[in-house]
Amino acid sequence: MAEVAESTARFMATLTALTDDRIGGPTLVPPWTRGHVITHVARATDSLCRLLAWARTGVETPQYASMEARAAEIEAGATRPVAALIADIADTAARFEEAVRSLPEAAWRAEVRMRTGELRTPASLIPTRLRELEVHHADLAAGYTFADVPPAAARWIIDDLVEALHRRDDPPALRFAATDTALSHELAPGGPLVTGPQSALLAWLTGRSPGTGLTASGADEVPPAPYWI
């Protein structure tokens, strides 16, 4: 949880530097504004708390009531002033931390169902929370970029994405390796080898970059990143 706490602090620092007139500004995930992204992070944290409650109590608690309800909540919160957005992020972060720290030992072995239908254990929700913070922090286009993601956090997020891809019935034939860290993965043999800085690999794998800063051997160009969610 130390990485999550540090990531939360970095996210909050960026938010405190924003002003109300910048909340409606563009992001890396159009048509969402910064207000949409920040609200999404808060509501996604709520959803993880619901899954942790499911693990703790054994009572099925869906991550979201519906995808329509999820979208409506994000839209409703997107135009709030900075102070309200910061308070929302702080409150949900505290509740997530408490939900994790108070989880009984037996609950860590429980399985809960993500909105995608995938079964996960509570331990796997921690890198999910880290991914939400770091990727959406960069999405804000407010000074924090994928190059600013600490290498250990980037590695944890990438490893989690690869694990999700390996759970698919048909992982694509693709290999990738960082040129500045020891990161290296093979999804399935026979595909191109994509190489470059770990931060560029993270941006590519999360769909925020077409492969800028990367090269691919065995292919004319860097292929689109596999869809992982």
Side-chain angles (χ1 to χ4, degrees), residues 6 12 17 41 50 59 63 70 77-78 94 118 131 139 147 156 165 183 188 195 224:
E6 292 165 3
M12 291 286 285
V41 171
R50 286 191 284 271
V59 177
Q63 188 175 7
R70 172 181 178 268
E118 182 182 7
R131 184 187 72 232
D139 283 341
W156 202 13
L165 287 165
L183 175 81
T195 59

Side-chain angles (χ1 to χ4, degrees), residues 18-202:
L18 292 176
T19 52
D20 288 345
D21 62 316
R22 297 182 65 197
I23 290 302
T27 68
L28 299 187
V29 282
W32 275 6
T33 65
R34 293 189 179 103
H36 286 92
V37 171
I38 297 165
T39 300
H40 165 67
V41 171
R43 299 291 74 78
T45 309
D46 280 339
S47 81
L48 296 179
C49 289
R50 286 191 284 271
L51 293 177
L52 290 169
W54 179 352
R56 184 178 64 253
T57 65
V59 177
E60 183 171 350
T61 310
Q63 188 175 7
Y64 294 100
S66 68
M67 294 310 293
E68 292 76 15
R70 172 181 178 268
E73 284 188 329
I74 294 169
E75 195 63 40
T79 57
R80 291 175 294 169
V82 172
L85 292 166
I86 290 173
D88 198 3
I89 291 294
D91 176 63
T92 52
R95 285 192 281 110
F96 177 80
E97 181 175 354
E98 176 58 25
V100 169
R101 296 198 183 281
S102 64
L103 203 64
E105 182 177 350
W108 287 97
R109 297 188 291 274
E111 286 190 326
V112 297
R113 192 177 302 280
M114 304 290 287
R115 67 176 178 85
T116 57
E118 182 182 7
L119 292 175
R120 303 287 291 270
T121 60
S124 71
L125 301 182
I126 297 174
T128 297
R129 166 71 171 152
L130 183 65
R131 184 187 72 232
E132 288 285 321
L133 285 163
E134 290 295 337
V135 173
H136 290 312
H137 194 172
D139 283 341
L140 290 176
Y144 190 86
T145 71
F146 283 98
D148 296 312
V149 179
R155 175 64 182 265
W156 202 13
I157 295 167
I158 291 172
D159 287 348
D160 185 58
L161 297 182
V162 169
E163 185 177 331
L165 287 165
H166 275 304
R167 285 193 291 267
R168 288 173 37 173
D169 293 332
D170 57 342
L174 181 66
R175 298 168 294 151
F176 57 88
T179 53
D180 54 350
T181 72
L183 175 81
S184 179
H185 282 292
E186 180 180 83
L187 298 180
L193 173 63
V194 178
T195 59
Q198 182 173 270
S199 59
L201 287 169
L202 177 60

